[in-house]
Amino acid sequence: MSKNVREPVAAQPGDTAAVAPGAPVRLRIAPVVLAGGAGTRLWPLSREHFPKQLIDLVGKDSLLQSTLLRMQGFSAGHEIEPSAIIVCGDEHRFITSEQLQASGMQGRLVVEPVRRNTAPALTLAASLALADGQDAILVVMPADHAIPDTCAFHQALSIAAAHASEGAIVTLGVPPTRPDTGYGYIKLGEMLPDGVRRMERFVEKPAIELAAQYVASGNYWWNSGIFVVRATVWMQAIEALHPAIHEMCVASVAEGKQEGQFFRPASRQFFLSPSDSIDYAVMERLDNPASPCRGVVVPLEAGWSDLGSWDAVWDAMDKDAEGNAGRGRVVFEGAHSSYVHSDGRLVACVGTSNIVVVETADAVLVVDRSHVQDVKDVVARMKILHAPEADTHRKVRRPWGFYDSIEHGDRFQVKRIVVQPGARLSLQLHHHRAEHWVVVSGTAMVTRGEEQFLLSENQSTFIPLGVLHRLENPGKLPLEIIEIQSGGYLGEDDIVRVDDTYGRCPGPQT
């Protein structure tokens, strides 16, 4: 186990001293951000290797950054842990770290070896929160929500923290404004003080007729997916209700390692953890006699949306007099209730109604707003066909910067490569391609076999097939080059990596 992480202290079921009701307990607040999703319903902007939480869908900040910044100014009389725990996937760790630094927030990045849904992710976070032997109130937030009214959000969290400190698992429920099949629902139980309700049961996304009945009854709220719970209480609940997740996640943290800014749970143990959501693993089982705690629901009336579809994005945007919303180079003429996103090209909508148009460098989506939930089915079909657009953008981000594949043919490919100051690519070679590099701006340090030399603007070099090489930026400004690849095979997996600053294993990442 890493010397920086002590074995987590997990309360045992029946250890009522840690969770006995009574006067509120002053505990530190530990924000937990779950940032491991894919967001396929927001294709083509959101993709497997650059999902929606990393995109600025409705503001200048990405959804991940907005989630972190939303906790600023909240205390509810408790000490706030300055570093949020962020659980993310291995493929997103560098861009997550980059966005964390850009937001000015602190965070501990927990890198999941494989996706196992939200219950194991929260169990990893709770185990780490308890690693210093002290309890904490976890504010558990998905990284892909929009909540415009931060003040109302903090008020709901204050009420939730009070109940959580007394041993409840609290979820924030959103009073519904319309029947919606894109959200799960919570059936409400008896009324408690402060407008809080007992949680009776969770209901998965219903058909539209049933959703309308739920809304009309007034006894169902939308499930926001935001939870507030003491770390010890969560560990009690997951051990009692889903012991296999508890066992594997605790073991994974205990054998985990700190690698620079990333905490890596042990892969072998985490692979053995069942995959399950917080809702299924715990919340739907709280009425089980084995459950060591209760569930309550606090109302959240802050303009919440989980931005799970393009219709939800449209709903969260400012609109013109005809109900249209757009981002980028967009023109509406005689259009109504439409949403358009342009990443580059001018998009004009004339006489359209209730549609979504999303333009990116390599794909265009046109969908009726009543069918936005079906976008995920299109992505699933593209994956079956092995279409690269299902998973990756033309512009691919790397820890050293990014590359953009601007043209390709049978035996050539042209890339624009941007390397950040002080960054460098791995030392590598290719078996099937040669490369020409032309410096557009900045200064390049080139390693080619036994040689090492500098190139400046308008200078170029050639990297023969099979020769070890590396590109780095020794300057203080971004380095931009044009790379022309030629050969019989130009796939990203034609890389033999010999050395890498970022600790990446050999594979399809330069």
Side-chain angles (χ1 to χ4, degrees):
M1 183 173 68
S2 167
K3 64 180 180 181
N4 297 320
V5 181
R6 291 196 293 272
E7 186 170 357
V9 180
Q12 299 298 312
D15 181 10
T16 56
V19 296
V25 180
R26 288 179 60 85
L27 298 167
R28 60 194 172 103
I29 299 283
V32 175
V33 180
L34 306 180
T40 56
R41 286 180 294 171
L42 290 176
W43 183 90
L45 211 57
S46 174
R47 306 195 194 182
E48 189 79 20
H49 297 306
F50 197 72
K52 63 177 178 175
Q53 62 265 23
L54 303 175
I55 301 170
D56 52 343
L57 277 173
V58 294
K60 63 181 180 64
D61 298 310
S62 72
L63 298 183
L64 170 65
Q65 291 171 320
S66 296
T67 303
L68 293 165
L69 294 169
R70 196 173 294 135
M71 289 299 293
Q72 286 187 329
F74 175 72
S75 68
H78 298 265
E79 177 187 354
I80 301 293
E81 181 68 43
S83 293
I85 299 174
I86 305 170
V87 186
C88 66
D90 185 67
E91 66 272 31
H92 306 140
R93 69 191 188 279
F94 291 113
I95 186 63
T96 299
S97 173
E98 180 182 317
Q99 292 197 356
L100 178 66
Q101 293 174 9
S103 71
M105 303 289 285
Q106 300 179 51
R108 291 184 285 171
L109 298 181
V110 183
V111 181
E112 293 180 298
V114 65
R115 288 179 186 166
R116 284 292 182 263
N117 216 317
T118 53
L122 176 51
T123 306
L124 292 178
S127 297
L128 282 175
L130 291 169
D132 60 3
Q134 299 180 8
D135 202 357
I137 297 175
L138 309 179
V139 177
V140 184
M141 302 169 288
D144 54 2
H145 290 180
I147 304 179
D149 191 342
T150 301
C151 182
F153 176 63
H154 287 182
Q155 290 174 351
L157 284 187
S158 295
I159 296 170
H163 285 269
S165 69
E166 296 181 355
I169 299 182
V170 186
T171 184
L172 302 190
V174 179
T177 57
R178 64 186 183 279
D180 197 306
T181 61
Y183 299 143
Y185 288 74
I186 307 168
K187 186 176 182 182
L188 307 175
E190 66 176 297
M191 180 74 74
L192 299 173
D194 300 320
V196 176
R197 304 288 291 269
R198 293 280 189 194
M199 189 199 75
E200 188 165 318
R201 68 187 178 97
F202 274 64
V203 181
E204 272 304 294
K205 299 171 183 176
I208 188 64
E209 297 81 6
L210 193 54
Q213 294 177 26
Y214 289 164
V215 173
S217 74
N219 292 322
Y220 291 82
W221 288 346
W222 287 335
N223 173 20
S224 74
I226 301 172
F227 300 91
V228 183
V229 59
R230 286 171 65 163
T232 50
V233 172
W234 174 260
M235 297 303 285
Q236 286 182 341
I238 195 69
E239 184 175 23
L241 302 175
H242 211 315
I245 290 179
H246 176 273
E247 178 185 2
M248 291 299 103
C249 289
V250 169
S252 183
V253 169
E255 297 297 325
K257 296 180 180 179
Q258 193 75 37
E259 294 183 358
Q261 60 187 322
F262 307 115
F263 178 76
R264 289 186 173 276
S267 298
R268 183 177 63 84
Q269 290 88 344
F270 196 68
F271 272 112
L272 295 175
S273 171
S275 177
D276 212 343
S277 69
I278 293 170
D279 294 352
Y280 283 140
V282 170
M283 302 306 293
E284 292 187 358
R285 305 183 186 186
L286 289 182
D287 59 353
N288 188 307
S291 173
C293 50
R294 66 188 187 281
V296 300
V297 190
V298 171
L300 173 64
E301 298 183 88
W304 170 90
S305 172
D306 77 343
L307 300 180
S309 69
W310 285 116
D311 199 42
V313 174
W314 170 85
D315 193 48
M317 297 284 288
D318 294 331
K319 304 170 188 66
D320 65 17
E322 302 300 326
N324 301 305
R327 297 196 74 181
R329 301 182 64 208
V330 175
V331 176
F332 295 104
E333 181 65 37
H336 303 274
S337 302
S338 295
Y339 175 77
V340 179
H341 178 105
S342 170
D343 257 1
R345 289 168 288 184
L346 174 67
V347 178
C349 285
V350 182
T352 61
S353 181
N354 296 303
I355 68 165
V356 170
V357 180
V358 182
E359 179 271 346
T360 67
D362 60 350
V364 177
L365 169 73
V366 181
V367 58
D368 190 286
R369 281 183 44 216
S370 64
H371 289 274
V372 292
Q373 298 292 339
D374 300 331
V375 172
K376 65 180 184 299
D377 298 328
V378 174
V379 177
R381 185 183 303 177
M382 287 191 295
K383 289 186 175 182
I384 292 173
L385 298 173
H386 303 290
E389 293 85 355
D391 295 324
T392 60
H393 285 275
R394 200 183 79 172
K395 180 179 177 180
V396 178
R397 290 161 177 84
R398 293 289 183 246
W400 42 260
F402 68 86
Y403 69 83
D404 186 0
S405 298
I406 57 181
E407 185 59 271
H408 62 86
D410 289 340
R411 293 184 59 85
F412 78 92
Q413 180 170 215
V414 182
K415 287 183 178 180
R416 172 179 171 241
I417 296 177
V418 175
V419 185
Q420 296 303 320
R424 61 180 184 172
L425 283 66
S426 59
L427 182 64
Q428 59 186 256
L429 62 84
H430 311 295
H431 289 303
H432 302 284
R433 71 176 186 247
E435 297 173 346
H436 294 258
W437 294 346
V438 181
V439 176
V440 176
S441 63
T443 301
M445 174 69 75
V446 177
T447 299
R448 184 180 62 185
E450 300 298 322
E451 304 174 86
Q452 191 171 66
F453 51 91
L454 292 172
L455 294 178
S456 57
E457 186 173 326
N458 291 325
Q459 293 184 320
S460 64
T461 191
F462 172 63
I463 309 296
L465 183 150
V467 173
L468 272 175
H469 59 278
R470 166 176 267 158
L471 175 67
E472 51 191 303
N473 181 359
K476 296 183 179 180
L477 298 174
L479 164 66
E480 182 173 348
I481 74 165
I482 297 298
E483 176 182 89
I484 304 170
Q485 302 176 356
S486 60
Y489 179 72
L490 305 174
E492 287 300 305
D493 54 349
D494 178 25
I495 296 171
V496 178
R497 185 177 290 126
V498 176
D499 177 68
D500 183 63
T501 302
Y502 310 101
R504 296 168 297 171
C505 296
Q509 291 189 358
T510 56

